[in-house]
Amino acid sequence: MTVCVFLGCTFVAFGPAAALFVLTVARDPLRVIFLIAGAFFWLVSLLVSALVWFITVQMSNRDSAAQQKGLLIFGVVLSVLLQEAFRFAYYRLLKKANDGLLALSQEDTMPITICQLAYVSGLGFGFMSGAFSVVNILSDSVGPGTVGIHGDSQHYFISSAFMTLAIILLHMFWGVVFFDACERRRWWVLSAVVLSHLLVSCLTFVNPQYEGSLIPTYIIVCVMAGWAFSRAGGSLRNLRLCLTCKDKDFLLANHRPR
Amino acid sequence: IYSPRVLLRVKPSVNSLYLDVSGSSVEQKIYIELKNTVPCVRLLNATHQIGCQSSISGDTGVLHVLETEADLDWILSTGPHPPYMVLMEATFFTRPTMMRMKNSTRVAGVAVINSNTTAVESFSPHTSCPNQNTGVYREDYGPDLANCSSTVWNPLGNSMSYEDFTFPIFSLKDDNQTQVMRKCYEDHNMRVNGSAPQYPLCAMQLFSHMHAVTDTVTCMRRAEVCDPLSDFNVWASIRPINASAKGHKNNESVVIAAARLDGRSFFWDIGTSAEGTVSGIVTLLAAAHALYPVTQEAPPVRNIFFTFFQGETFDYIGSSRMVYDMKQDKFVINLDNVHSVLEIGQVGLRNGQKLWMHTDPVSRKNSTVDEEVINLVDNIKSVASTLNVSLDEPNTTQALPPSSFQRFLRVQPIPGVVLADHKSSFINRYYESLYDTAAYLNMTYPSDLSPEEQMEYETEASKVSRSARLPDQHCQGTYTSNSSYIGTKTFSHCISCSLSLSPSLFQMAKLLYGFLVRSNNSWFSSLLPPEAGAKGRSSILESGPPQYYIGLRQDNSVKSVTRFVQFVMANATGTVTSLNQIQCQNPNDVPGESKDLYSYHWVSGPPSANSTEGDPYCVRTSVRLAKALSPAFELPEYGSREYSTWTESRWKTIRARIFLVASPQLEMLTLGVGVTVLLVSLVLTYFISSKAELLFSSTHETPNTTY
């Protein structure tokens, strides 16, 4: 659909993630490293689930459409479970690396808090997941044609871009909530995260009814945003103070020596 | 970068397989690739470029079907979504329409639907005076006959093949794909109650970018941008002649029996050329079949050279090369060895009327030449009078029609006759076009015959002149055109003996079938070498008729039609030997065989009871191939006015596809939404990160106890 659509969809899908990266992550090399490691962990989880799916497809009956659809659903569920498992594995790895990091750092305190680690690793997961979701769609959007000659909906590209945006944000929020729950050993929170991930992934089977998949997904994005905000240390009071610009007095009053 | 266009042309099914495998699923949602399309490509000569080309990334346009005059106005002036891609039936593919489109900026390309059902009254995209600058008539030779001033040979010619179009023109068959295109047009692009159609609209993109520009001189200067048209002439002699000794041969007087081997159409690499070319080829081949056995029993005084010239459509490539080689003493004989020339022109549409003998009035001003020509004409007439064939000479001041004989006359006055079915202008309504097919010559078969049965079936065309039973010393049999018989009897008079000839009727039917309907038949397969036959690795047989466009030669390969003629002639004028395959490749080792006098070929042989593949044998024949590359590329003199300088451009991709396009407003909206999201997220992120200490302060009441 030409360069305009390509640029528009790229900005929608990766704009917020790029903004977050440039403004909050890029300045601190340690955060960059952990972001890339997080992306790598997501990639490995995708590889494993792709391998399992490929093997099952080879063994299955190619001609039966129902069986192929069933296999696809199985593949999606397996992939979600594997992603969350690798997120947990990354958490364990980071905890083990804590001592090493403390020894390496020249200050007495941790150079990076677990909350920041959660955010950065979630963002890494999100980047990789978004890339694999949308890059091949973007590459086809550069051509002169748009989807529709076989009767599909015309809004394929922009819907895919918004879905990718939602997934990236969700991965970030899930990362924060997940790590916090692991810290406090609240296992029911973990299952809530896994279930919401499953819900969002399975909502995509409703496509091409884009309203049916995008609206519930964005509702979940808002819910997870609020949850992550509260886990990360935010509260309504802070938000109100921030917005009404009474922050200067507050900071001076609560100033703690670092 | 060299283009794999032979692969594209010869094996379209393989190409489509690659497309299916490599296209991603998103691409398949968007585009429908059109298969079996034939482009019009760019050809260049010393001064001009002709043909069509697209821009390097293809030309896209909104599809519009041209059915009425109102549609033409919509495309050229009133339609709101230019540029348009025009889809038209063959009846609209005329010069006025195409010229109007050529001058308009609102046309992105044209696709012509070529269906078997709609018949065009007449269509000849060739010039009205074929090969006018490279023939024999010029300022110093018959100036009043030059440039068709006295006779316009192809009056129906509209010269469309020789125009330079800046947009691509493709030809499509009328099949399922065309139905899909029409459906796409009807669903999205039709006007509803006179108002303009709404986006998304159905569009088409054509890729046919040509690398060469301007003319041959420019493109040959740059490497790997164009290639000269070339192939091989086929010649065979009744009496073997030493092919290693070039130049004048003593005591050798030769009659050249010539026909042309090629044709063309507006589009690339197709040209069935039934009346224009095949009628002559088949006639000459049948004459060779009939004459050879008899000349072995009663050897004639003069030798006969059966010669098939390739590339005559493009300013006489083959004949100019042979004449040049004769002059340079690089050919087996010299022009002084040539006694006379008898050429078979277009002879397929005679339909019971007269056959005409054309001669050159200017050379006949010389009395010796005139005497010989009169002799020749009388011989022919006397033969024809014994059959029910009427022959006549047209007005003696009329010029010679475009023929290979003209290139011989350019160098030396030689007596000669060109046989044709037209008195002055061509009666061929489809000269050098797609419609000059077997159907035009009334070659129809009952629908329930298998291909092999069809081959043996005598169509009306081959029955056309069934002559009465004749006295012994003449022939019994029938021919597609009696010119073949005339030809053979004429040769017999030329070579001063009287022969009794009995050519086979089946031979004619098989020849016509193989050259006009289907080359993949058992007879052709038995005449070809095993690897080129039906079951061979590099088979040149196809399920349709052979195409006669000369094309290019990569790695000295030979065009399929040239091979067919070569091996049919080998069968006609050759003998079966008992050599085995190894001896066949090195005949000089065998006593009594000579590679100088003969050429030896290992051929498949007809299938027999005990082997379906056929018993191969070694055939010994005098048939040889002579390179048909214009002397302009040998000298080299790319801007030559005397010789053919035709080249074909190279290209990288030829494809066509259809898809939907969205409105520019929607695209801009998408871009706007994207930019907005990006900016909002940047602002929000900056705001949050600057206030991060405040916003995320509540949980870390005891920061030092976390670790």
Side-chain angles (χ1 to χ4, degrees):
Chain A
M1 249 173 99
T2 73
V3 179
C4 293
V5 168
F6 169 74
L7 285 175
C9 290
T10 310
F11 290 155
V12 165
F14 292 111
L20 284 165
F21 180 80
V22 165
L23 291 175
T24 62
V25 173
R27 291 215 196 124
D28 188 347
L30 209 53
R31 293 188 193 180
V32 173
I33 291 169
F34 284 118
L35 183 135
I36 293 176
F40 176 71
F41 265 73
W42 187 89
L43 196 58
V44 174
S45 84
L46 181 72
L47 220 57
V48 173
S49 54
L51 198 66
V52 171
W53 178 80
F54 182 73
I55 292 171
T56 50
V57 162
Q58 294 297 326
M59 293 192 313
S60 75
N61 175 12
R62 294 280 179 92
D63 298 325
S64 156
Q67 209 179 71
Q68 294 301 314
K69 179 97 186 192
L71 273 179
L72 191 63
I73 296 175
F74 161 72
V76 166
V77 169
L78 178 70
S79 173
V80 168
L81 295 174
L82 275 173
Q83 284 173 45
E84 297 305 327
F86 270 76
R87 205 197 295 274
F88 186 71
Y90 192 42
Y91 168 77
R92 301 289 312 177
L93 183 72
L94 286 176
K95 288 298 279 185
K96 286 218 166 62
N98 263 345
D99 301 329
L101 272 176
L102 193 54
L104 280 173
S105 81
Q106 280 135 357
E107 300 167 13
D108 289 334
T109 54
M110 278 296 296
I112 184 168
T113 66
I114 194 72
C115 201
Q116 287 163 358
L117 270 176
Y119 157 68
V120 153
S121 73
L123 193 59
F125 267 53
F127 261 118
M128 213 38 152
S129 169
F132 270 79
S133 300
V134 92
V135 159
N136 71 323
I137 296 175
L138 286 178
S139 77
D140 282 317
S141 71
V142 174
T146 183
V147 174
I149 197 163
H150 294 289
D152 305 304
S153 159
Q154 244 206 107
H155 300 110
Y156 182 74
F157 294 127
I158 196 75
S159 310
S160 304
F162 273 107
M163 194 67 188
T164 307
L165 171 62
I167 297 271
I168 295 177
L169 292 175
L170 275 173
H171 269 291
M172 195 172 72
F173 300 143
W174 283 327
V176 171
V177 172
F178 194 94
F179 277 37
D180 180 76
C182 286
E183 283 288 298
R184 292 168 193 239
R185 308 203 182 287
R186 302 232 180 119
W187 309 118
W188 66 270
V189 176
L190 285 192
S191 57
V193 166
V194 172
L195 278 172
S196 67
H197 192 166
L198 270 173
L199 181 62
V200 169
S201 290
C202 291
L203 272 174
T204 58
F205 284 107
V206 177
N207 288 338
Q209 275 252 25
Y210 295 122
E211 308 84 26
S213 70
L214 278 177
I215 294 174
T217 306
Y218 273 90
I219 293 172
I220 295 178
V221 168
C222 294
V223 167
M224 290 305 304
W227 196 350
F229 180 61
S230 70
R231 288 295 101 223
S235 65
L236 279 174
R237 186 169 154 263
N238 290 350
L239 195 60
R240 213 170 355 111
L241 277 174
C242 202
L243 287 173
T244 53
C245 293
K246 291 213 184 103
D247 46 326
K248 282 197 272 259
D249 303 329
F250 181 78
L251 275 176
L252 281 169
N254 288 306
H255 183 69
R256 292 184 288 265
R258 284 189 136 261
Chain B
I1 301 165
Y2 189 69
S3 54
R5 69 204 130 155
V6 173
L7 192 67
L8 265 169
R9 175 70 188 124
V10 172
K11 299 189 176 84
S13 58
V14 175
N15 197 40
S16 63
L17 178 66
Y18 287 152
L19 283 171
D20 288 338
V21 166
S22 66
S24 73
S25 56
V26 180
E27 212 180 324
Q28 280 161 10
K29 274 187 200 291
I30 306 176
Y31 303 107
I32 296 181
E33 291 282 337
L34 301 177
K35 306 181 186 101
N36 298 332
T37 56
V38 184
C40 136
V41 300
R42 175 170 280 169
L43 295 163
L44 307 103
N45 71 358
T47 48
H48 290 85
Q49 64 182 28
I50 65 172
C52 333
Q53 87 142 12
S54 76
S55 54
I56 192 154
S57 50
D59 281 326
T60 315
V62 173
L63 201 59
H64 198 85
V65 174
L66 184 59
E67 274 160 346
T68 61
E69 190 63 32
D71 286 323
L72 198 56
D73 287 328
W74 180 263
I75 292 168
L76 294 175
S77 44
T78 55
H81 309 119
Y84 284 97
M85 270 282 167
V86 184
L87 185 64
M88 58 163 71
E89 294 275 349
T91 40
F92 281 91
F93 193 51
T94 58
R95 192 183 168 88
T97 315
M98 293 309 293
M99 286 296 118
R100 281 179 74 184
M101 289 192 188
K102 180 180 164 178
N103 294 331
S104 158
T105 48
R106 290 165 55 107
V107 176
V110 173
V112 182
I113 302 177
N114 184 23
S115 70
N116 295 336
T117 48
T118 55
V120 188
E121 173 66 31
S122 71
F123 180 71
S124 171
H126 208 74
T127 50
S128 52
C129 192
N131 293 342
Q132 72 186 74
N133 298 320
T134 42
V136 70
Y137 300 110
R138 42 197 198 275
E139 298 90 40
D140 49 352
Y141 190 104
D144 50 324
L145 302 170
N147 298 328
C148 293
S149 352
S150 65
T151 329
V152 177
W153 293 110
N154 186 24
L156 296 169
N158 56 29
S159 302
M160 259 168 58
S161 291
Y162 290 82
E163 291 287 333
D164 182 29
F165 291 98
T166 48
F167 49 78
I169 303 179
F170 276 51
S171 165
L172 310 167
K173 282 212 230 341
D174 194 1
D175 52 11
N176 284 346
Q177 219 164 244
T178 322
Q179 296 311 315
V180 168
M181 287 170 74
R182 281 188 205 275
K183 183 158 187 315
C184 184
Y185 170 74
E186 278 155 23
D187 289 341
H188 298 103
N189 294 18
M190 291 281 272
R191 273 177 282 166
V192 181
N193 295 337
S195 67
Q198 297 297 318
Y199 278 102
L201 295 173
C202 196
M204 182 160 71
Q205 187 175 32
L206 299 177
F207 294 81
S208 68
H209 180 71
M210 302 286 138
H211 295 329
V213 283
T214 322
D215 56 29
T216 297
V217 180
T218 316
C219 84
M220 289 301 279
R221 207 166 46 211
R222 292 154 66 184
E224 304 212 342
V225 149
C226 65
D227 299 295
L229 297 176
S230 82
D231 187 46
F232 294 88
N233 297 326
V234 182
W235 64 267
S237 56
I238 292 283
R239 272 205 306 261
I241 195 163
N242 187 345
S244 339
K246 314 278 186 198
H248 186 82
K249 293 265 184 336
N250 291 326
N251 304 329
E252 192 70 61
S253 177
V254 157
V255 174
I256 293 186
R260 60 186 270 204
L261 202 48
D262 74 323
R264 69 167 299 195
S265 71
F266 184 82
F267 299 99
W268 178 61
D269 214 30
I270 48 178
T272 41
S273 215
E275 152 75 345
T277 305
V278 181
S279 55
I281 296 176
V282 165
T283 303
L284 205 56
L285 285 173
H289 266 98
L291 203 55
Y292 184 78
V294 183
T295 57
Q296 297 309 101
E297 291 170 34
V301 168
R302 293 196 188 94
N303 205 347
I304 304 180
F305 261 55
F306 291 100
T307 322
F308 297 85
F309 292 110
Q310 180 70 279
E312 301 301 274
T313 321
F314 290 103
D315 288 334
Y316 305 120
I317 297 177
S319 52
S320 66
R321 179 55 188 259
M322 186 173 272
V323 170
Y324 176 81
D325 283 344
M326 283 181 179
K327 263 172 48 185
Q328 305 283 320
D329 287 337
K330 287 191 187 144
F331 194 61
V332 299
I333 54 171
N334 194 308
L335 280 163
D336 300 324
N337 291 119
V338 177
H339 171 261
S340 52
V341 173
L342 177 67
E343 181 164 342
I344 318 277
Q346 302 180 72
V347 291
L349 290 175
R350 205 175 56 87
N351 286 339
Q353 276 144 13
K354 289 187 184 188
L355 202 61
W356 298 94
M357 299 174 288
H358 296 265
T359 55
D360 171 44
V362 178
S363 64
R364 285 176 78 172
K365 290 183 183 146
N366 179 331
S367 54
T368 31
V369 172
D370 194 40
E371 246 179 69
E372 277 295 335
V373 174
I374 293 175
N375 208 5
L376 200 55
V377 168
D378 287 338
N379 278 339
I380 299 177
K381 275 190 177 156
S382 72
V383 164
S385 62
T386 62
L387 308 162
N388 281 339
V389 179
S390 52
L391 262 183
D392 206 351
E393 259 187 288
N395 194 338
T396 41
T397 54
Q398 183 175 269
L400 205 58
S403 51
S404 317
F405 179 38
Q406 287 200 14
R407 292 300 302 196
F408 285 85
L409 285 175
R410 262 176 93 110
V411 178
Q412 196 165 311
I414 299 175
V417 167
V418 175
L419 291 176
D421 56 14
H422 51 90
K423 180 180 179 182
S424 56
S425 310
F426 295 160
I427 52 178
N428 186 355
R429 297 201 309 273
Y430 305 116
Y431 185 62
E432 311 286 26
S433 85
L434 275 178
Y435 308 106
D436 193 4
T437 57
Y440 185 44
L441 292 183
N442 281 336
M443 279 185 61
T444 49
Y445 299 88
S447 47
D448 54 344
L449 294 183
S450 76
E452 290 302 316
E453 286 167 355
Q454 283 183 4
M455 186 171 74
E456 306 285 343
Y457 182 80
E458 308 163 26
T459 59
E460 284 309 308
S462 63
K463 280 189 205 164
V464 143
S465 44
R466 189 178 281 287
S467 51
R469 292 196 66 87
L470 302 166
D472 293 342
Q473 57 267 50
H474 298 287
C475 155
Q476 291 175 346
T478 65
Y479 303 80
T480 298
S481 65
N482 279 4
S483 51
S484 157
Y485 185 65
I486 307 291
T488 43
K489 279 305 257 186
T490 310
F491 301 143
S492 72
H493 281 274
C494 288
I495 59 183
S496 306
C497 64
S498 122
L499 309 165
S500 114
L501 306 161
S502 47
S504 150
L505 171 68
F506 278 150
Q507 209 72 16
M508 211 52 157
K510 283 198 283 198
L511 279 170
L512 282 171
Y513 186 77
F515 281 103
L516 277 178
V517 179
R518 189 187 158 103
S519 58
N520 188 355
N521 56 63
S522 56
W523 188 53
F524 271 20
S525 187
S526 68
L527 297 179
L528 292 170
E531 63 272 7
K535 300 202 174 75
R537 280 175 299 119
S538 41
S539 172
I540 54 177
L541 299 174
E542 288 173 15
S543 61
Q547 304 295 340
Y548 293 87
Y549 173 67
I550 175 175
L552 311 172
R553 298 283 70 79
Q554 293 130 335
D555 315 318
N556 262 344
S557 62
V558 181
K559 191 176 161 60
S560 57
V561 170
T562 316
R563 282 270 185 233
F564 297 152
V565 170
Q566 179 190 12
F567 284 101
V568 170
M569 277 303 280
N571 178 263
T573 64
T575 37
V576 181
T577 63
S578 55
L579 300 171
N580 63 30
Q581 188 167 7
I582 302 171
Q583 288 171 327
C584 204
Q585 277 151 9
N586 301 306
N588 281 336
D589 300 336
V590 180
E593 308 287 0
S594 159
K595 227 172 160 174
D596 294 333
L597 289 177
Y598 299 102
S599 63
Y600 294 81
H601 303 278
W602 185 252
V603 298
S604 306
S608 56
N610 39 359
S611 69
T612 50
E613 301 262 332
D615 298 313
Y617 59 89
C618 188
V619 65
R620 180 183 69 200
T621 171
S622 59
V623 172
R624 295 196 196 259
L625 298 176
K627 198 165 171 70
L629 173 66
S630 170
F633 297 99
E634 293 286 327
L635 285 165
E637 197 189 317
Y638 301 130
S640 166
R641 289 285 190 273
E642 210 184 315
Y643 299 111
S644 163
T645 48
W646 285 103
T647 53
E648 187 186 273
S649 168
R650 290 196 190 183
W651 60 81
K652 205 159 153 203
T653 46
I654 302 268
R655 26 192 281 239
R657 55 187 187 178
I658 56 171
F659 45 86
L660 293 187
V661 282
S663 66
Q665 289 81 17
L666 188 62
E667 293 175 7
M668 281 295 149
L669 182 66
T670 313
L671 181 63
V673 164
V675 169
T676 313
V677 164
L678 179 67
L679 290 174
V680 163
S681 64
L682 277 168
V683 164
L684 214 59
T685 310
Y686 179 72
F687 178 70
I688 293 176
S689 73
S690 65
K691 300 268 167 58
E693 279 177 13
L694 168 63
L695 275 175
F696 302 112
S697 57
S698 359
T699 45
H700 303 293
E701 278 123 14
T702 52
N704 3 6
T705 61
T706 317
Y707 290 98

